[in-house]
Amino acid sequence: MCRPGGRVVVANRPQQPATPSCPLTSSEAHALIRDFCASVTLVQTFRNTQDSPIEAVYQFPLNDKYCICGFEADVDGKVIVGRCKEKEAAKNIYDDAISEGHGAYLLEQDVTTNMFKVNVGNLPPGKEVKIKITYVTELAFDVNQNLYWTLDSYKTQDDASSAYYQQEVLPSLILDVQLDMTSAIKSYCSPTHPIKFEFGDDSSKATVTLSGSADRSLDEVDFKLYVKLAQPHKPCARVEAAEDGDLAAMVSLYPEIPLGEDEEIYNEMIFVVDRSGSMSGARIKQVKLTMQIFLRSLCPGTMFNIVGFGSRFEFLFPEGSVEYNDKNLDIATKHVNELEANLGGTIILTPLQKILQSKTIDGYPRQLFVLTDGEVDNTTQCINFVRQNAHTTRVFTFGIGADASKALVKGMADAGEGFHEFVLPGENMEVKVMRQLKRAMQPAFTNLQVEFLGDALPEQQKQQIQPAPFRLPPLFAGGRLIVYAFLPAAVTAPLTIRLTAKTAIKPYEATLEINPQDAKTGTLFHQLGAQRLIRDLTEGRSFMHDDKGKLTNNRWARDVQEAMVRLSTNYGVLCQHTAFVAVEERLDATEGTMVIHRIGSKAATAAAPTTTTTTTTAVPGAHQNYYSSASSTSAQNRPVSPSLQRLNDQLAEVNSSLYANIDRIIERGERLESLVEQSETLESSSRQFSKAATNSAGGGITGWLTSSISSMFSGLAPAAPAATPAATAAPTESKEREKAERQMRLLAEEESLSQCRMGSRRRRSEQESEEMVARKREQEVQERQRTEEEARERAKDKRAALEREREREKEKEREKQKAVAEERIEEAPTAMRGIIMRQKARPATGTTCTRCSAASSADPTSKPASLHVLLLPLLLLTTTAIVRMTTSG
């Protein structure tokens, strides 16, 4: 059976116990799926089997597409609901509650490991705690056009010391999934678990539960549910209403994009090949085979290039992508055959920056294919950079080998709106290569627009509608797009939603209708819309940023984080700057030494705290309702919306809590000073009484007078001499000593609490400092690598320029020699012809050479002729041949 959530390990102990000290006693999962959106609630119960109170730390990994939006803790039937607060404020509330002996619960996200962490403080011995966490997410379609949902199992957690492996008996999972679809459900299945499927009032609603006996072999298997819809490609729109009246709409699009018979799609395809040392052997051979299949499958007219990377990177065509033809194919084929894993380590961010920051070719959408096996240190940074450039480049990835980094391969493909494939040793490459090529060659919707129209919709209310995401990316065939919109509470009339886009053949347009009066109660669309706006702010796609992800106004740098915190606290969705905190005030504070327990896969470094100021900067237009707490009533003369009112109430509550904490700190300081003064006074009085008792025992009235005078000076009234002085002084001294000891104990306890609180904050500060140092070192290493890479590139460019200059000089010299030779060839026949003419013009009676005379005398019948005339043509041919041979040499 699938086991969602984390696991239990004990921290700060040299050895792990043989049995879990905080075992899991029950596990539940409840899901609501509305079209492409899902809300999932995980409920898990743990028991403290120790003899002392513990601070249990429950950690579990979640997909980066999940968004935490609810947190509750149930201790012995008492439910404590968490509130979303700014992270540093939440930690302070948690620390104060723990130091005072109350129960406290803190849920935050560790940005370094993408791990969600729940601190369950002061869990008494033998008590159970039920943790309820709710998250929202979006669903996708598989290659067979099936809508699917996955409940992750704990198999993704790699901590070998997990108490789940020590816990022999695991509780059965209780699972139920409610389906509420717009289209009718055509079929369903779960390839991983036996299920029971029951339709509701109509074929668009159903309930799914687990059936059959639990099978321990399924403990490490994700639960998967596939649903085939009758009309999956039909656009749909729905609206939800929160309890306070806020409206949120959801528009989904999963189109079939037509392509004409003679229509050709041209792309720029860049292949980024990992040539680091880890790719040697069978892996580089597998990459060569993959690249050969790629090169022989491209369409004529495609622009392409090949980039190899390791510690440095190399372009096959340094000047940019070239056209796919026979000549360039031969060059690329030879290059691929000579590929070697000889470029050092695995640094992929630098070539990604070089490629994605370059200008695209007009009319050629850029498709990036990444083939790698490695795991880099800056996975999150690489994924975020790909996501920031997804509007210009689509990314497809191949994980080569069984050890390929799933986080990097899958993360970059998802961020780049593409797909990923993993290639195992000996696996058939051709099928996966052709599948990726088919995906890349699909037509797309561009210039997508979503408009909200209505006859009864005033222009002012229309401007207040906030879409999420702010910028719509291209939508390729096989992909789906979800757009959320926050509607003004005053909208009550039906609205028309118009979808428009451009395709390769003709424009696309579709219209949908929504009626706020038919809105279902819920906050699923509100929370996913808020998450989308927070992601826009994080990735540089909000209205505050330009197309390159840079702020359009530098003064908004601080407003970005403040807007994220406001969205997070207003709609109750967790982000990197906020945390959920809940406090259970106990009349009898828990006593005993507290031990920290961790419930999760592995210890996660706490995220660096962030602080925000109370100064708010109003942002323009309709975005002010959702990004800023400042009201725009004075500017637009409209009533305050429930969202703004709730946000104002939360701010007032934060201020009240802040002032209450300040007053409590001042009061504790005054109490501490008063206790110190009383302690000093009592100690002095004790010494005086001791001295008085000694004097009284030895000396009558003189001793009594001495003690009386001492008591007067110490501020205490002297006792009447009705009884014996020694008998009176002894009980009084004992009482005063007891009182002093009691005061000292109170002072010590107060000091211990203060030190505990200060120690907790000091440890967190040290941890944050270590994280800052680590991040700074990582940045320095990256900067040094980037500097070295730039220096190598400059040196390489300089060498290439020198080589080109030498080639030009050699070419000039060859041209010069060729011109001289041609001149000689032209001059030689002219000179020879002149010699021949002069010989013919010489008189017959003239003198002849000795050889000619001898020949004439030997043959009286022959005509007198000169041997020079006969040899001149032969000499001419010989000279011409010699000159030509010289020229060609």
Side-chain angles (χ1 to χ4, degrees):
M1 202 66 63
C2 175
R3 307 294 180 192
R7 302 168 296 179
V8 182
V9 296
V10 181
N12 300 332
R13 288 193 180 184
Q15 294 181 353
Q16 298 293 333
T19 59
S21 59
C22 195
L24 175 70
T25 59
S26 68
S27 180
E28 302 177 17
H30 309 278
L32 169 63
I33 299 177
R34 282 182 175 167
D35 290 325
F36 298 153
C37 306
S39 174
V40 183
T41 300
L42 301 179
V43 184
Q44 291 184 307
T45 304
F46 299 90
R47 178 188 294 274
N48 179 15
T49 59
Q50 298 291 303
D51 297 331
S52 59
I54 65 171
E55 182 183 7
V57 182
Y58 175 59
Q59 294 177 333
F60 58 99
L62 282 179
N63 191 293
D64 56 359
K65 293 185 178 181
Y66 297 166
C67 177
I68 298 291
C69 61
F71 167 58
E72 294 181 9
D74 185 346
V75 181
D76 284 347
K78 184 177 182 180
V79 179
I80 302 97
V81 181
R83 299 288 299 274
C84 190
K85 302 284 186 181
E86 192 274 328
K87 182 172 287 188
E88 186 64 19
K91 289 182 178 179
N92 290 335
I93 294 174
Y94 175 82
D95 289 342
D96 291 341
I98 291 296
S99 63
E100 294 174 3
H102 299 299
Y105 310 88
L106 182 70
L107 171 65
E108 59 182 330
Q109 178 183 4
D110 188 345
V111 296
T112 58
T113 61
N114 200 25
M115 187 82 68
F116 292 95
K117 181 175 65 175
V118 182
N119 291 66
V120 185
N122 278 8
L123 181 61
K127 298 294 183 180
E128 285 188 342
V129 57
K130 180 184 292 185
I131 301 297
K132 181 187 292 185
I133 296 175
T134 302
Y135 66 87
V136 292
T137 185
E138 295 177 352
L139 277 61
F141 285 91
D142 64 0
V143 294
N144 297 319
Q145 300 184 0
N146 293 315
L147 187 68
Y148 68 93
W149 173 68
T150 302
L151 178 63
D152 295 333
S153 176
Y154 67 83
K155 69 181 181 60
T156 55
Q157 307 171 28
D158 300 326
D159 192 351
S161 62
S162 167
Y164 266 160
Y165 295 109
Q166 302 171 3
Q167 186 173 343
E168 295 182 357
V169 180
L170 289 172
S172 299
L173 172 68
I174 300 174
L175 172 67
D176 69 88
V177 182
Q178 302 294 327
L179 298 176
D180 182 9
M181 317 302 291
T182 300
S183 173
I185 299 174
K186 189 176 180 180
S187 63
Y188 56 87
C189 73
S190 173
T192 58
H193 296 75
I195 61 173
K196 181 180 180 181
F197 196 96
E198 296 181 358
F199 281 103
D201 298 336
D202 53 51
S203 59
S204 64
K205 298 175 177 58
T207 301
V208 179
T209 56
L210 291 176
S211 67
S213 59
D215 186 356
R216 285 301 301 270
S217 65
L218 299 177
D219 285 347
E220 298 185 1
V221 178
D222 296 345
F223 173 81
K224 294 184 179 182
L225 176 65
Y226 290 85
V227 176
K228 181 174 284 293
L229 302 178
Q231 295 178 309
H233 298 291
K234 183 179 179 180
C236 67
R238 307 182 70 164
V239 62
E240 274 187 349
E243 293 181 356
D244 59 1
D246 277 357
L247 298 175
M250 183 274 296
V251 182
S252 62
L253 184 62
Y254 177 59
E256 283 185 311
I257 305 177
L259 182 64
E261 296 181 358
D262 299 331
E263 189 72 24
E264 293 184 356
I265 299 176
Y266 297 103
N267 293 279
E268 179 190 13
M269 295 191 176
I270 302 178
F271 303 94
V272 182
V273 180
D274 188 350
R275 292 173 54 188
S276 60
S278 61
M279 289 289 293
S280 60
R283 294 182 179 179
I284 195 66
K285 294 180 180 179
Q286 205 166 19
V287 167
K288 290 181 179 181
L289 177 60
T290 304
M291 286 302 304
Q292 293 292 1
I293 298 174
F294 266 124
L295 291 176
R296 279 154 180 77
S297 303
L298 299 181
C299 297
T302 300
M303 306 293 289
F304 79 103
N305 205 341
I306 301 175
V307 183
F309 74 92
S311 299
R312 63 183 192 277
F313 60 91
E314 298 176 352
F315 281 79
L316 173 59
F317 303 105
E319 303 298 328
S321 298
V322 298
E323 184 179 357
Y324 180 75
N325 53 36
D326 292 340
K327 177 183 176 182
N328 293 327
L329 175 61
D330 293 340
I331 296 174
T333 301
K334 182 179 179 181
H335 173 75
V336 169
N337 290 333
E338 296 174 353
L339 286 179
E340 294 182 5
N342 57 357
L343 295 185
T346 307
I347 301 178
I348 191 174
L349 182 59
T350 307
L352 287 177
Q353 291 172 339
K354 179 72 172 179
I355 297 169
L356 300 184
Q357 290 178 349
S358 62
K359 186 179 180 181
T360 58
I361 304 174
D362 293 338
Y364 291 81
R366 185 159 57 198
Q367 316 280 357
L368 195 68
F369 294 85
V370 180
L371 296 87
T372 182
D373 75 325
E375 183 171 352
V376 297
D377 297 331
N378 54 350
T379 299
T380 303
Q381 189 176 357
C382 293
I383 294 173
N384 290 338
F385 185 76
V386 170
R387 185 179 289 113
Q388 292 172 4
N389 293 273
H391 62 286
T392 63
T393 306
R394 200 178 183 201
V395 178
F396 300 84
T397 57
F398 285 87
I400 307 298
D403 300 330
S405 172
K406 294 183 178 179
L408 179 66
V409 173
K410 187 176 183 298
M412 288 199 304
D414 292 343
E417 306 292 340
F419 297 86
H420 67 278
E421 294 281 358
F422 287 96
V423 182
L424 300 179
E427 195 171 8
N428 184 8
M429 295 289 303
E430 187 172 357
V431 176
K432 296 188 175 182
V433 169
M434 298 308 297
R435 186 161 57 207
Q436 289 283 57
L437 271 179
K438 181 180 178 181
R439 293 164 176 169
M441 298 298 293
Q442 292 293 325
F445 278 174
T446 58
N447 296 336
L448 274 162
Q449 298 290 334
V450 178
E451 299 178 89
F452 290 82
L453 309 173
D455 297 335
L457 184 64
E459 187 65 25
Q460 183 179 2
Q461 293 182 2
K462 184 177 179 181
Q463 293 179 357
Q464 295 174 19
I465 297 176
Q466 172 61 51
F470 182 74
R471 289 183 175 88
L472 301 181
L475 179 59
F476 292 85
R480 63 103 177 92
L481 175 68
I482 299 179
V483 180
Y484 305 95
F486 294 96
L487 307 178
V491 176
T492 57
L495 297 178
T496 299
I497 303 175
R498 183 169 64 189
L499 303 174
T500 58
K502 291 184 180 180
T503 66
I505 301 177
K506 61 181 180 179
Y508 172 85
E509 182 173 341
T511 57
L512 303 169
E513 300 288 338
I514 58 172
N515 189 353
Q517 300 297 330
D518 300 333
K520 292 189 176 182
T521 303
T523 58
L524 176 58
F525 300 157
H526 297 74
Q527 292 160 348
L528 285 172
Q531 180 204 22
R532 181 71 260 189
L533 291 177
I534 292 174
R535 187 183 300 175
D536 285 348
L537 290 166
T538 305
E539 299 170 0
R541 298 185 185 180
S542 71
F543 75 98
M544 299 183 184
H545 300 81
D546 57 17
D547 293 339
K548 296 183 179 180
K550 297 182 180 180
L551 289 172
T552 55
N553 190 333
N554 293 330
R555 292 179 297 178
W556 287 352
R558 186 176 58 183
D559 296 340
V560 171
Q561 180 173 325
E562 293 179 356
M564 293 171 64
V565 172
R566 292 190 192 100
L567 283 167
S568 178
T569 56
N570 192 20
Y571 292 99
V573 293
L574 189 67
C575 74
Q576 59 182 338
H577 302 300
T578 57
F580 278 92
V581 63
V583 176
E584 175 198 2
E585 295 186 359
R586 299 170 180 169
L587 297 179
D588 51 342
T590 303
E591 297 181 357
T593 303
M594 193 161 55
V595 180
I596 297 180
H597 290 63
R598 297 197 180 277
I599 307 175
S601 64
K602 53 185 177 181
T605 306
T610 56
T611 58
T612 59
T613 63
T614 56
T615 305
T616 59
T617 303
V619 294
H623 310 292
Q624 186 169 353
N625 285 338
Y626 307 98
Y627 290 99
S628 174
S629 62
S631 175
S632 59
T633 303
S634 59
Q636 300 183 8
N637 193 20
R638 66 172 186 268
V640 178
S641 67
S643 300
L644 291 179
Q645 184 63 42
R646 183 167 64 252
L647 187 56
N648 291 333
D649 294 342
Q650 292 176 358
L651 290 175
E653 182 181 348
V654 171
N655 291 333
S656 176
S657 176
L658 179 62
Y659 288 127
N661 288 336
I662 294 175
D663 294 339
R664 189 159 55 249
I665 292 172
I666 295 174
E667 181 182 353
R668 289 176 182 173
E670 293 175 351
R671 283 181 55 194
L672 184 61
E673 292 178 358
S674 176
L675 287 173
V676 172
E677 293 176 359
Q678 292 179 16
S679 176
E680 293 176 352
T681 302
L682 290 173
E683 186 178 359
S684 176
S685 299
S686 177
R687 287 196 301 268
Q688 294 295 337
F689 273 106
S690 179
K691 185 176 180 180
T694 303
N695 293 335
S696 297
I701 191 65
T702 304
W704 178 83
L705 287 174
T706 303
S707 65
S708 299
I709 294 172
S710 299
S711 300
M712 292 175 63
F713 279 104
S714 64
L716 301 174
T724 305
T728 305
T732 305
E733 177 185 1
S734 176
K735 292 180 180 179
E736 293 296 335
R737 285 181 177 176
E738 291 177 358
K739 185 176 181 181
E741 290 175 356
R742 191 162 52 251
Q743 295 291 348
M744 292 298 293
R745 283 197 301 271
L746 291 174
L747 181 63
E749 291 176 359
E750 186 72 20
E751 182 66 20
S752 177
L753 289 174
S754 176
Q755 291 179 357
C756 178
R757 187 163 52 251
M758 293 177 62
S760 176
R761 293 177 179 172
R762 183 173 60 254
R763 286 192 299 272
R764 189 169 68 248
S765 177
E766 292 174 353
Q767 193 174 17
E768 294 163 357
S769 300
E770 292 176 357
E771 291 179 2
M772 293 178 63
V773 171
R775 285 195 296 269
K776 185 176 180 181
R777 289 177 178 174
E778 182 180 356
Q779 293 175 357
E780 291 176 352
V781 171
Q782 293 176 357
E783 183 65 26
R784 184 167 59 254
Q785 292 175 347
R786 186 164 50 253
T787 303
E788 293 175 355
E789 185 64 33
E790 291 175 354
R792 285 193 294 268
E793 287 295 322
R794 288 195 297 269
K796 183 178 178 181
D797 294 341
K798 187 175 180 180
R799 289 194 299 270
L802 291 174
E803 289 293 333
R804 289 193 295 269
E805 185 65 26
R806 293 193 189 99
E807 288 296 330
R808 284 196 294 269
E809 292 295 335
K810 291 180 180 178
E811 185 66 24
K812 290 180 180 178
E813 185 65 26
R814 285 194 293 269
E815 291 292 338
K816 185 177 180 181
Q817 293 177 358
K818 184 177 180 180
V820 172
E822 290 177 350
E823 290 178 358
R824 291 176 179 175
I825 292 173
E826 292 176 356
E827 293 173 356
T830 304
M832 293 304 172
R833 283 194 297 270
I835 295 173
I836 294 172
M837 295 300 295
R838 285 195 296 273
Q839 290 294 338
K840 288 183 178 180
R842 183 174 296 172
T845 58
T847 59
T848 59
C849 65
T850 308
R851 294 179 181 177
C852 294
S853 300
S856 179
S857 59
D859 187 6
T861 62
S862 62
K863 296 182 180 180
S866 176
L867 290 175
H868 294 89
V869 176
L870 298 176
L871 294 175
L872 280 176
L874 181 61
L875 179 62
L876 176 61
L877 294 174
T878 304
T879 305
T880 303
I882 293 173
V883 171
R884 287 180 177 174
M885 291 175 61
T886 304
T887 303
S888 61

